[in-house]
Amino acid sequence: MDLANEKNERAFDFIPLNEREQKPRKVGLTEIRGPYYTPVGRHYLEDLFTTMGNYIDILKFAGGSFTLMSKRALKDIINLCHSHNVLVSTGGFIERVLTMGSELIDKYVNECQSIGFDIIEISAGFVTAPFGDLLRLVEKVQKVGLKVKPEVGVQFGAGGATRAEELEAEGTKSTKWAIKQAKSFLEAGAYLIMVESEGITENVAVWKREIIAEFIDQLGLETLMFEAADPEVFSWYIKDYGPEVNLFVDHSQIVQLECLRSGIWGTKSTWGRVVTYKKP
């Protein structure tokens, strides 16, 4: 028996699935949340990657959780991700560092590069900074050889599981301005744009689908990743925009999401309706 082939051979491979690009992919990217709401360590990730690693493109830390770990534990997780062709992102913690002064920003970016991160996400959901300063951060991160994934959205105060009532009191920002920012980030070399869900599909009475449509119309699906850590939300994205939309979900949702992308399972509204057609 060829053990190498058996290791990579899909079980029940006579059952057809929707075709997926092989990693590194450019479309249909799945980013999963790492430690935050629950601990996610090396042993858990080994199980996750052994079973679902082909479908995970990026692991994203949240809330600066990596700063609570020992360097050895963090490097073990990053190295494990890399061994499965999974990129590792800091999440949006840089906005917390922004409040500590420019000297610490330099140290933070350099340490991210040194310890093995691939992506630094640049968010400003809780802080107000000149847009030119954020563009300078994009430049700084790229100078050390890391990818930049800026986060844009319409909700001030987004992030950290803020209550809906608090967000409603803050109000929302201009969609046109958010799209203009995203375009400038892409022109500056950003890897992807993360579209924040709060104020659009999260903590709102009615989803603001027209905002997503405007982002896609102006920027295209391939440049955007959508926060969709709710099965109803990621199901809607796939129904409306197809199985190759880039999505960010919780680590616990990867199997459900991939069953939907592949067309093998779904809810009443998606059962047997998610398909692809590729040239032979």
Side-chain angles (χ1 to χ4, degrees), residues 4-30:
N5 285 338
E6 184 182 22
K7 180 180 178 181
N8 296 316
E9 183 182 1
R10 180 172 64 84
F12 293 85
D13 61 357
F14 55 87
I15 302 292
L17 307 180
N18 288 336
E19 281 193 47
R20 297 274 269 128
E21 281 190 4
Q22 296 300 307
K23 295 195 292 185
R25 283 182 276 268
K26 293 184 178 180
V27 294
L29 298 172
T30 296

Side-chain angles (χ1 to χ4, degrees), residues 58-79:
I58 306 169
L59 174 77
K60 170 179 170 175
F61 284 86
S65 55
F66 53 88
T67 66
L68 302 176
M69 299 179 181
S70 70
K71 279 191 175 183
R72 179 174 180 179
L74 179 56
K75 286 182 176 180
D76 280 350
I77 288 175
I78 291 173
N79 291 337

Side-chain angles (χ1 to χ4, degrees), residues 134-194:
L134 299 180
L135 285 176
R136 279 186 279 278
L137 281 178
V138 170
E139 181 181 0
K140 177 180 290 291
V141 171
Q142 291 181 109
K143 278 185 176 179
V144 302
L146 300 183
K147 299 178 186 293
V148 187
K149 184 154 68 64
E151 182 181 68
V152 299
V154 298
Q155 179 69 63
F156 186 77
T162 308
R163 293 187 302 114
E165 295 81 3
E166 294 177 273
L167 293 180
E168 186 176 354
E170 292 282 4
T172 55
K173 298 180 283 189
S174 162
T175 302
K176 289 183 179 179
W177 173 232
I179 291 172
K180 186 176 180 179
Q181 287 180 313
K183 285 181 177 179
S184 296
F185 283 136
L186 290 169
E187 289 168 0
Y191 166 58
L192 279 172
I193 301 296
M194 169 66 79

